[in-house]
Amino acid sequence: MKNKVDYLIVGQGLAGTFLAFQLMQRGKTVLIVDKGLTYSSSRVAAGVINPIVLRRFTITWRAKEFLSYNPDFYHALDQFLGKQYHFDIPLKKLISSQDEMDFWEHRYAKDGVSDFIHRELTDASDAIQPAEPLKIGLVKQASWLNISALLFDFRKKMISTNSLLEDIFDFSELKENSYKNCEFNNIVFCEGAQGKYNPLFKDLPFSLNKGQLITIKNTSLPADSILKKKVFILPTEENLFKIGATYSWKWDTSSEEAAHKIEADKTTLLKSHLEDMTTADYELVNVETGIRPSIKDRRPVIGRHSTRRNTFIFNGMGTRGCFMAPLLTEEFIEHIENDKPLDSEVNINRF
Ligand SMILES: Cc1cc2nc3c(=O)[nH]c(=O)nc-3n(C[C@H](O)[C@H](O)[C@H](O)COP(=O)(O)OP(=O)(O)OC[C@H]3O[C@@H](n4cnc5c(N)ncnc54)[C@H](O)[C@@H]3O)c2cc1C
């Protein structure tokens, strides 16, 4: 383990990983402490990157900025790890009623949505084996991040350079400029949902959200696009597809195991949404749950501790970490290193 670093980072989910990567790109030294929680949000996340809310056809917050920043960022990360993790992939919205067709046309003409969807609807291909007659609406600029593989490989690389300590962060060992045997200039907490219990950043209005998704095996569904109706069908590996995800605001929080328990009714719901899209045969191969680190106002929470000048939080990525975190990481580093103001919507000062 390194004994002197510029940055100590607690948590190696997507937030901690992107932060460590960008800091190292700037020549900073880092040590990550991460206990490798199996149920961290990032390990479970599907990695779909989509600039549009497909229920209401609204453009997501700062979509254009994130879309223009992400390709170079993900390319640099691919280069660093020597493998491709980020892929452009068509996202196809399945449309089954005249009302939905009219809504597509109506929204196309409004609020700049035409930058993000194609106007023309096409017929669904036979490969989808639609459960009912379908039209397809195409979303522009969607992509997929193979996030679990990315985190796994990044972790391996950090361990190999003594830059990741696999442990639970012990707050009783934290001093002003050191943790155990390691001195640091700055410490950043990227703990995802566990941030809710961080004694240094108490009372932040976390509004955690539990998600469940299933993985199915199928040999006929299209492997070259993401399909979306009430849920998405995302091709991940050969003949494997992730179907998800659910959103729950209430669950048993009495223990870690209880919180992450697989809920049978959610599995049934996901299967029924899947069967609403396609009549293709499938085998259920896996069910996963994770807790999304969301904040009440649906914006990340980023910034400096009120009294500890070298202590920061980078959290609250909610449902869209893969989309927002790359640029937010750069803005956060600019804030710490060069005093650039943070976007007021993410700044911890708003609380
Ligand atoms: C079912 C589901 C599907 C999702 N799908 C998508 C999607 O398609 N696209 C998208 O953009 N987002 C998706 N998300 C959201 C995405 O997962 C989050 O936005 C993002 O991963 C949050 O990353 P994070 O690093 O902030 O937190 P986390 O991923 O939770 O990471 C926190 C890390 O901190 C570590 N940690 C915490 N406390 C401690 C401690 N005390 N000591 C040591 N280590 C600690 C944990 O081990 C973990 O590695 C999904 C989430 C879920 C649950």
Side-chain angles (χ1 to χ4, degrees):
M1 173 177 133
K2 288 179 174 165
N3 55 17
K4 193 164 178 13
V5 288
D6 296 315
Y7 282 82
L8 184 70
I9 298 174
V10 183
Q12 192 246 328
L14 165 157
T17 298
F18 291 1
L19 180 64
F21 171 64
Q22 292 212 22
L23 285 168
M24 291 187 302
Q25 296 286 91
R26 288 172 178 241
K28 302 289 176 194
T29 50
V30 305
L31 175 70
I32 301 178
V33 183
D34 185 288
K35 67 180 159 188
L37 282 172
T38 330
Y39 301 114
S40 88
S41 190
S42 307
R43 286 191 183 200
V44 174
V48 174
I49 299 182
N50 162 26
I52 284 272
V53 180
L54 280 171
R55 246 175 315 114
R56 290 172 274 132
F57 290 95
T58 47
I59 303 166
T60 57
W61 179 66
R62 294 184 66 186
K64 282 196 172 161
E65 289 170 271
F66 295 137
L67 279 173
S68 75
Y69 187 84
N70 284 350
D72 286 350
F73 170 81
Y74 282 126
H75 183 65
L77 199 42
D78 287 352
Q79 300 276 93
F80 177 72
L81 292 172
K83 198 167 141 189
Q84 189 177 0
Y85 302 91
H86 181 241
F87 304 86
D88 290 333
I89 183 168
L91 173 60
K92 297 177 175 173
K93 164 87 171 156
L94 307 191
I95 294 178
S96 53
S97 70
Q98 187 61 47
D99 279 357
E100 284 178 275
M101 283 187 228
D102 294 345
F103 194 53
W104 182 276
E105 178 66 22
H106 166 74
R107 288 300 300 154
Y108 176 82
K110 292 256 157 57
D111 308 326
V113 172
S114 58
D115 288 344
F116 298 95
I117 61 174
H118 289 275
R119 181 176 208 160
E120 301 72 31
L121 301 176
T122 55
D123 292 326
S125 74
D126 291 343
I128 298 175
Q129 295 176 246
E132 56 186 327
L134 286 177
K135 291 279 182 194
I136 299 282
L138 194 59
V139 175
K140 297 176 189 173
Q141 307 188 67
S143 58
W144 174 57
L145 182 68
N146 188 350
I147 179 169
S148 51
L150 165 66
L151 292 194
F152 181 81
D153 292 345
F154 189 85
R155 187 177 189 90
K156 250 188 6 203
K157 189 150 182 156
M158 295 303 279
I159 290 172
S160 73
T161 54
N162 294 323
S163 304
L164 191 144
L165 176 65
E166 292 193 285
D167 206 356
I168 295 178
F169 186 82
D170 179 355
F171 283 91
S172 70
E173 298 272 1
L174 176 64
K175 309 279 180 319
E176 197 179 332
N177 285 95
S178 67
Y179 174 71
K180 294 191 174 171
N181 296 328
C182 181
E183 284 176 32
F184 57 79
N185 293 334
N186 292 305
I187 178 167
V188 184
F189 289 94
C190 306
E191 305 152 284
Q194 292 298 313
K196 185 172 177 174
Y197 310 105
N198 184 323
L200 293 174
F201 291 96
K202 277 197 250 169
D203 303 327
L204 286 174
F206 276 98
S207 174
L208 304 181
N209 180 278
K210 180 172 175 177
Q212 185 162 314
L213 45 79
I214 59 175
T215 303
I216 60 159
K217 190 168 180 187
N218 165 283
T219 51
S220 62
L221 283 167
D224 59 357
S225 51
I226 303 170
L227 304 176
K228 173 83 168 82
K229 203 170 173 209
K230 281 197 177 131
V231 289
F232 56 72
I233 303 177
L234 167 77
T236 53
E237 288 172 55
E238 203 180 345
N239 298 334
L240 292 182
F241 297 82
K242 282 195 193 259
I243 317 297
T246 61
Y247 297 83
S248 312
W249 303 101
K250 282 209 174 102
W251 61 90
D252 182 352
T253 52
S254 56
S255 67
E256 269 289 287
E257 288 72 34
H260 295 288
K261 200 170 152 234
I262 285 161
E263 290 165 33
D265 60 329
K266 298 287 187 303
T267 305
T268 306
L269 182 73
L270 289 167
K271 284 165 70 181
S272 116
H273 287 329
L274 168 66
E275 288 159 21
D276 191 32
M277 294 166 79
T278 176
T279 56
D281 288 335
Y282 65 89
E283 181 193 333
L284 180 67
V285 293
N286 197 15
V287 187
E288 294 162 283
T289 68
I291 311 290
R292 299 178 184 91
S294 301
I295 302 292
K296 274 228 161 69
D297 63 4
R298 305 284 178 274
R299 291 285 179 265
V301 60
I302 301 176
R304 195 186 295 270
H305 188 266
S306 55
T307 54
R308 289 181 56 115
R309 297 291 302 158
N310 66 351
T311 304
F312 299 84
I313 187 166
F314 188 59
N315 205 328
M317 295 300 148
T319 57
R320 286 177 187 269
C322 305
F323 190 43
M324 304 188 299
L327 177 58
L328 293 178
T329 306
E330 160 137 3
E331 292 176 354
F332 176 45
I333 297 173
E334 281 295 315
H335 176 65
I336 305 174
E337 292 285 323
N338 298 323
D339 255 346
K340 289 226 174 112
L342 283 170
D343 185 316
S344 57
E345 291 196 51
V346 304
N347 198 323
I348 189 172
N349 291 349
R350 72 190 188 278
F351 299 117

